[in-house]
Amino acid sequence: MGENAVVVDGVSKRFQLTLDRPLSLKEAWTGLRPGSGRPFRRLRSEPFWALRDVSLEVPQGSMYGLVGRNGSGKSTLLRVMAGIYRPTEGRVEARGRISALLELGAGFHPALSGRENIYLNASVLGVPKSQIDERVEQIVEFAGLEEFIDSPVKIYSSGMYVRLGFAVAVHVDPEILIVDEVVAVGDEEFQLRCFSHLESLRSQGVTIVLVSHDLGLLRANCDQMAWLNRGLLAAVGDPQEVINAYLDTIDTEGAASVGHRPRPDDEEATPLRITNLEFFDEAGHQPKSFASGDSLVVRIHYSASEPIQDPVFSLGFYDHNNLHLAGPRSHVDGFRPGKVDGEGWVEFRLFRIPFRSGAFHVNAAVQDSDASFLYDRRAREFWLQISGEPDPQANGLLNLEGDWRSGV
Amino acid sequence: MRAVTDRGSALEIWGYRELIGRLVQRELGSRYKRSVLGWLWSMLNPAATLAIYALVFGVLLKFDPPRAGNGRFDNFALYLFCALVMWNAFYGVITGAMTALLDLGSLLGKVYFPPEAPAVAALLTVLFQAAIEASILMLIFICLVNVSWTFLLWPVLLLLLSIFALGIGLMLSVWNVRYRDVGYLSTIALQFLFYVTPIVYPLSLIPERAMGLPVRDIIRLNPLSQFTEASRELLYGLDWPGLLRLGLMALISLAVGAAGWLMFKARTRDIAEEL
């Protein structure tokens, strides 16, 4: 420890947006494209900075997490780290062999069989054949692909792709392992296996750089984290602090969008709209994150421009993969808010949070009294963070309340 | 610590020999899959081409081959074959390099390997085929007692041709990524080149001047003509082209090879983003 495995020093990456790249020699020569309507348009290209002056240090043997919204430059940074993209400015230094698992079917050739791809991949990573000969059965077993290993990978399902890619990447003795959020594609059981394997690699001194949207997982596993926001490094350091800073902006951006964000139904001026969603604990505070098993109050703020009788409020709880977990609705639960007019709120009280740790998003919607007309809906704006060490013995997204008995 | 982008040295490719071996094996392994005759095709194919050319140009058009080196026979098919081996290798390397980069390029966005590796693998695959063809040819000459030490120079000639062809192949392949026209244009250019190179005809058949141009000298100046002619001299004529011409060929090969490689290197630094 104490030494760095990867040092990213002032890296910027510029892409030339290729909408208007000359596509043939003729276009390259004349600089013109015969387009529809406007027959001769000057070709142009615009620079786009995917990364701007990013510097970070990944200590040897650590697990390093990267968060950021889609399009914030995470994948570009990983590619620059792996040496696939050349930084426009700055440099990346690394100590040791890098194995990268960047996307579905990391470097597989569709026409080749799974087995051939194992060898191809390994040779790309510079692993001698003799070493792979020893490992190939292990890889196949890890990926759970015994039956399909001699079929071309183009017939594989996406889950099989990921499993094989992951299995190869971790079995070639990497010193630095770079993993994009691909692992999320595999099933629950495989994900668990991946993480326990990453854990054991780390204990062997392998440095791991990980991108994920699963904040709970990052918090529980990473030694350090960095948060990328539109190509800029927004925060770096302790996972908890980085996650809090990240969630803060999501909150404020979510709040800021209220009233400003033009919505499709704006022109028709819906008479009843949802203005905000707030999460409270028992004591009426608004913590950054809740613990599984706590009670939770979700307050739906509304604004009605005319009196409306007994609108139906509903909530939707989703995990980070957009899996719909629960959807309480006021009229189903026998609640009638009466006549609403002007500003006000409606609360849903959850006695015990059943969700295990992670980030969940909560949608809210409001409809007319017989739930046939939708007044307003807010989706994927409000995030609920559930913290707590994930119990490695427990599976699934939910804690179910129940007990066990036996009998013969 | 080393920079992850400190790449592209000439020696780097050696570190990836395992990958290249794998690619060659894949290419050879998948070839003639699902065919009854299998590997026989790698001999039947050139034999058929040869037979067609020999029939058209040797029998129907009656192109006259010179006498063989041992002075005991002349045979148009064999005379043609000596040049055709060279052409096949040249053609194979160039088209192979172009398709290999497009074919494997998608991998470059996911893992790093030297982008010239597919082209080098294509070259080795072609050399393997050329070696088979040349062995058959030499075997026939041995049976005809038309043998000399000049046979030993032939592999050197093939090596020079490889460097020459690889240089052109690398250049075209990287342009082909950007502009697919390059692929179509080179097909036409190669067709033209085939007929302005003395392969299906002896150079002596070309008039000194035509349309006011010194056509024979123009064709002679085509670097590829040097290779096909030298190959005929070494194998058929049992003569050697002389130090000057060999040296000139080496010079051209190295210059074209180096230029192609440098251009390829300069243009492929960001190829992962283009493919």
Side-chain angles (χ1 to χ4, degrees), chain A residues 11-19 21 44-52 71-81 84-89 231, chain B residues 109 178 269-275:
Chain A
V11 164
S12 298
K13 178 70 194 171
R14 185 188 62 207
F15 288 109
Q16 214 63 37
L17 285 188
T18 54
L19 342 145
R21 188 164 68 81
R44 70 201 148 74
S45 63
E46 275 172 29
F48 167 72
W49 291 89
L51 294 174
R52 269 186 201 274
S72 58
K74 301 184 300 285
S75 295
T76 304
L77 180 58
L78 291 192
R79 278 182 163 75
V80 171
M81 278 179 163
I84 294 166
Y85 287 172
R86 209 164 45 100
T88 313
E89 285 161 18
Chain B
R178 239 184 195 215
R269 286 188 305 176
D270 293 319
I271 197 163
E273 296 158 27
E274 276 192 37
L275 278 155

Side-chain angles (χ1 to χ4, degrees), chain A residues 188-189 192 356 391-399:
Chain A
E188 184 81 4
E189 191 247 333
L192 267 181
R356 302 189 56 238
D391 184 352
Q393 299 291 316
N395 283 335
L397 290 163
L398 305 177
N399 288 321

Side-chain angles (χ1 to χ4, degrees), chain B residues 41-97:
Chain B
W41 279 113
S42 65
M43 294 174 212
L44 288 177
N45 240 340
T49 320
L50 182 66
I52 293 166
Y53 288 147
L55 179 74
V56 174
F57 299 101
V59 179
L60 300 179
L61 293 176
K62 295 198 190 305
F63 288 179
D64 239 356
R67 281 200 90 64
N70 65 2
R72 270 185 257 163
F73 69 95
D74 56 66
N75 182 300
F76 184 74
L78 290 173
Y79 181 71
L80 171 69
F81 198 10
C82 294
L84 197 61
V85 174
M86 283 282 144
W87 170 261
N88 284 346
F90 177 78
Y91 183 87
V93 170
I94 286 176
T95 50

Side-chain angles (χ1 to χ4, degrees), chain A residues 7 13 21-22 24-25 28 79 81 83-84 86 91-94 103 107-109 112 119 124 129, chain B residues 1-4 7 16 18-19 22 26 103 107-112 178-179 181 185 269-270 272-273:
Chain A
V7 176
K13 178 70 194 171
R21 188 164 68 81
S24 70
L25 287 175
R79 278 182 163 75
M81 278 179 163
I84 294 166
R86 209 164 45 100
R91 59 191 271 117
V92 176
E93 295 192 334
E103 53 188 271
F108 286 152
H109 197 280
L112 296 185
Y119 281 99
V124 163
K129 184 173 179 297
Chain B
M1 296 293 271
R2 67 179 178 84
V4 292
R7 282 168 157 164
Y16 283 84
E18 195 103 26
L19 168 67
R22 173 74 33 200
R26 168 173 84 102
D103 190 27
L107 294 191
L108 276 169
K110 298 167 187 166
V111 278
Y112 176 83
R178 239 184 195 215
Y179 309 112
D181 319 48
L185 283 177
R269 286 188 305 176
D270 293 319
E273 296 158 27

Side-chain angles (χ1 to χ4, degrees), chain B residues 5-270:
Chain B
T5 42
D6 264 359
R7 282 168 157 164
S9 78
L11 294 174
E12 186 193 19
I13 194 87
W14 179 246
Y16 283 84
R17 58 191 181 280
E18 195 103 26
L19 168 67
I20 291 169
R22 173 74 33 200
L23 294 175
V24 172
Q25 208 176 317
R26 168 173 84 102
E27 183 57 35
L28 293 176
S30 64
R31 192 179 280 184
Y32 311 119
K33 232 180 205 176
R34 298 196 188 193
S35 64
V36 180
L37 296 176
W39 270 97
L40 263 163
W41 279 113
S42 65
M43 294 174 212
L44 288 177
N45 240 340
T49 320
L50 182 66
I52 293 166
Y53 288 147
L55 179 74
V56 174
F57 299 101
V59 179
L60 300 179
L61 293 176
K62 295 198 190 305
F63 288 179
D64 239 356
R67 281 200 90 64
N70 65 2
R72 270 185 257 163
F73 69 95
D74 56 66
N75 182 300
F76 184 74
L78 290 173
Y79 181 71
L80 171 69
F81 198 10
C82 294
L84 197 61
V85 174
M86 283 282 144
W87 170 261
N88 284 346
F90 177 78
Y91 183 87
V93 170
I94 286 176
T95 50
M98 281 200 284
T99 43
L101 186 64
L102 284 185
D103 190 27
L104 279 156
S106 58
L107 294 191
L108 276 169
K110 298 167 187 166
V111 278
Y112 176 83
F113 56 87
E116 65 270 32
V120 173
L123 169 71
L124 293 179
T125 315
V126 170
L127 287 186
F128 187 80
Q129 174 72 27
I132 294 178
E133 290 173 16
S135 311
I136 295 171
L137 187 56
M138 288 184 194
L139 208 70
I140 296 171
F141 279 132
I142 288 167
C143 293
L144 293 169
V145 213
N146 186 46
V147 197
S148 169
W149 63 272
T150 53
F151 278 25
L152 300 175
L153 263 180
W154 196 83
V156 179
L157 192 68
L158 184 65
L159 182 73
L160 292 180
L161 178 88
S162 311
I163 298 169
F164 179 71
L166 188 64
I168 296 174
L170 285 175
M171 240 182 278
L172 292 177
S173 68
V174 75
W175 279 101
N176 192 34
V177 168
R178 239 184 195 215
Y179 309 112
R180 297 292 147 89
D181 319 48
V182 173
Y184 305 118
L185 283 177
S186 21
T187 316
I188 299 168
L190 282 169
Q191 230 172 55
F192 180 66
L193 192 62
F194 179 79
Y195 286 103
V196 296
T197 305
I199 298 165
V200 291
Y201 54 83
L203 189 58
S204 55
L205 206 77
I206 302 296
E208 288 278 4
R209 295 189 73 84
M211 296 174 295
L213 290 169
V215 272
R216 193 189 289 181
D217 283 335
I218 290 175
I219 286 177
R220 208 202 306 270
L221 279 176
N222 161 14
L224 207 57
S225 308
Q226 293 299 322
F227 286 103
T228 55
E229 285 291 288
S231 176
R232 279 172 172 164
E233 284 160 36
L234 289 175
L235 296 181
Y236 188 88
L238 305 183
D239 197 3
W240 85 300
L243 214 52
L244 184 70
R245 274 178 60 209
L246 265 181
L248 217 60
M249 276 187 264
L251 208 67
I252 291 172
S253 296
L254 291 175
V256 170
W261 193 77
L262 286 176
M263 187 188 225
F264 185 84
K265 273 309 194 189
R267 294 212 61 106
T268 50
R269 286 188 305 176
D270 293 319

